[in-house]
């Protein structure tokens, strides 16, 4: 069933703008057909189209149910900027796996260093990719893509999380033993050149656990997917 997001769902519900255009022109849906609207706060509304006209789709709500796809942990992925368009797939697949926030990061070995204007455009595209991925996989929220920050800012923020792991190519402990009281988790992934020794020391001093994803060296776009999967498995969110 087609899925859409609308934060404020009125007593006389409707969709307009790009969503309405997609329903009418691309999906060619008509009155009497069903779709789902999520309020971005974990409730799904199963609806029937009542009318389509002038860029507006009017709906009737058949049922409101709790969304069952959201994980029990809020995972923030701090991803050091990769080269090219790799961040597109990182955002998309991280959302599908259950990440709730993705924050681009600049570190010493980042080759990609776009200026502020380019970053603003990229962030807008990444947020759109995140929104589309959330709809495709049935999420109950719209995961956010944050502003690009420095690795020092990441280190300074780690006290806000129950657990933090940075995945280090020189080894560490597996991502395990996340107790049930841990509801907010930070994952920190380096760029193509990895972390410098100084950066690794800074992150560890900030409270992050030095973690390994196994003996193989993973690409920067593969590592976050492995790390998120490990967290979801460890916390029972892939049962």
């Amino acid at each position: 069933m087609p899925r859409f997001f609308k934060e404020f769902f009125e007593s006389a519900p409707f969709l307009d703008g790009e969503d309405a255009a997609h329903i009418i022109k691309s999906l060619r849906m008509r009155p009497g057909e069903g779709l789902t609207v999520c309020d971005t706060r974990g409730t799904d509304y199963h609806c029937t189209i009542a009318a389509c006209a002038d860029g507006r789709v009017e709906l009737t709500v058949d049922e409101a149910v709790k969304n069952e796809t959201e994980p029990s942990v809020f995972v923030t992925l701090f991803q050091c900027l990769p080269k090219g368009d790799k961040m597109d797939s990182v955002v998309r697949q991280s959302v599908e796996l259950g990440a709730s926030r993705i924050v681009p990061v600049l570190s010493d070995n980042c080759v990609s260093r776009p200026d502020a204007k380019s970053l603003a455009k990229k962030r807008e595209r990444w947020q759109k990719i995140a929104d589309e991925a959330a709809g495709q996989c049935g999420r109950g929220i719209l995961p956010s893509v944050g502003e690009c920050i420095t690795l020092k800012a990441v280190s300074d923020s780690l006290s806000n999380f129950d657990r933090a792991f940075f995945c280090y190519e020189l080894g560490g402990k597996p991502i395990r033993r996340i107790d049930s009281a841990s509801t907010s988790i930070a994952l920190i992934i380096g760029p193509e050149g990895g972390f410098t020794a100084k950066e690794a020391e800074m992150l560890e001093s900030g409270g992050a656990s030095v973690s390994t994803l196994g003996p193989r060296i993973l690409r920067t776009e593969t590592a976050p997917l492995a790390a998120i999967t490990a967290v979801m498995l460890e916390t029972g969110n892939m049962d």
Side-chain angles (χ1 to χ4, degrees):
M1 184 179 291
R3 184 178 186 81
F4 300 88
F5 290 89
K6 188 170 184 179
E7 187 171 354
F8 299 107
F9 210 55
E10 300 83 356
S11 55
F14 68 92
L15 294 171
D16 57 5
E18 291 184 5
D19 287 341
H22 184 63
I23 291 167
I24 297 169
K25 297 179 180 179
S26 300
L27 299 179
R28 299 182 181 277
M29 297 183 75
R30 297 292 181 264
E33 295 186 84
L35 54 80
T36 298
V37 180
C38 179
D39 66 358
T40 75
R41 298 184 299 277
T43 300
D44 289 341
Y45 295 86
H46 299 313
C47 302
T48 299
I49 297 175
C52 301
D54 300 323
R56 179 182 171 105
V57 176
E58 297 180 2
L59 306 168
T60 57
V61 176
D62 302 317
E63 183 183 22
V65 298
K66 179 183 176 182
N67 180 276
E68 299 291 346
T69 68
E70 285 306 305
S72 61
V73 288
F74 189 103
V75 173
T76 297
L77 170 66
F78 292 102
Q79 173 70 47
C80 292
L81 285 175
K83 295 184 290 186
D85 60 358
K86 294 176 183 176
M87 192 69 173
D88 292 6
S89 60
V90 168
V91 170
R92 180 180 298 108
Q93 294 169 19
S94 296
V95 168
E96 291 176 11
L97 286 169
S100 296
R101 187 165 67 114
I102 299 144
V103 181
V105 178
L106 276 175
S107 64
D108 288 349
N109 287 334
C110 284
V111 174
S112 176
R113 293 184 176 275
D115 59 28
K117 185 176 180 180
S118 296
L119 269 174
K121 289 182 178 179
K122 287 177 181 290
R123 183 187 177 195
E124 185 178 346
R125 183 175 79 247
W126 295 331
Q127 186 61 65
K128 185 174 182 180
I129 289 170
D131 292 350
E132 291 172 349
Q136 179 272 318
C137 68
R139 295 290 297 269
I141 67 168
L142 284 175
S144 64
V145 178
E147 293 185 4
C148 187
I149 62 175
T150 65
L151 195 63
K152 175 64 165 59
V154 174
S155 180
D156 290 344
S157 74
L158 296 181
S159 61
N160 297 321
F161 297 89
D162 295 327
R163 295 293 304 274
F165 303 92
F166 82 92
C167 301
Y168 197 28
E169 64 272 18
L170 298 184
K173 295 181 179 179
I175 298 176
R176 290 182 185 159
R177 301 181 189 90
I178 304 172
D179 72 52
S180 58
S182 298
T183 59
S184 61
I185 293 175
L187 296 173
I188 310 161
I189 305 295
E192 284 85 356
F195 293 116
T196 65
K198 184 177 179 181
E199 287 175 329
E201 182 181 347
M202 176 181 67
L203 290 170
E204 189 171 12
S205 296
S209 299
V210 186
S211 302
T212 180
L213 293 172
R216 295 157 297 283
I217 300 297
L218 303 182
R219 290 178 180 271
T220 187
E221 66 270 32
T222 307
L225 310 182
I228 295 169
T229 300
V231 168
M232 293 300 165
L233 279 169
E234 182 65 19
T235 56
N237 284 290
M238 298 193 86
D239 293 350

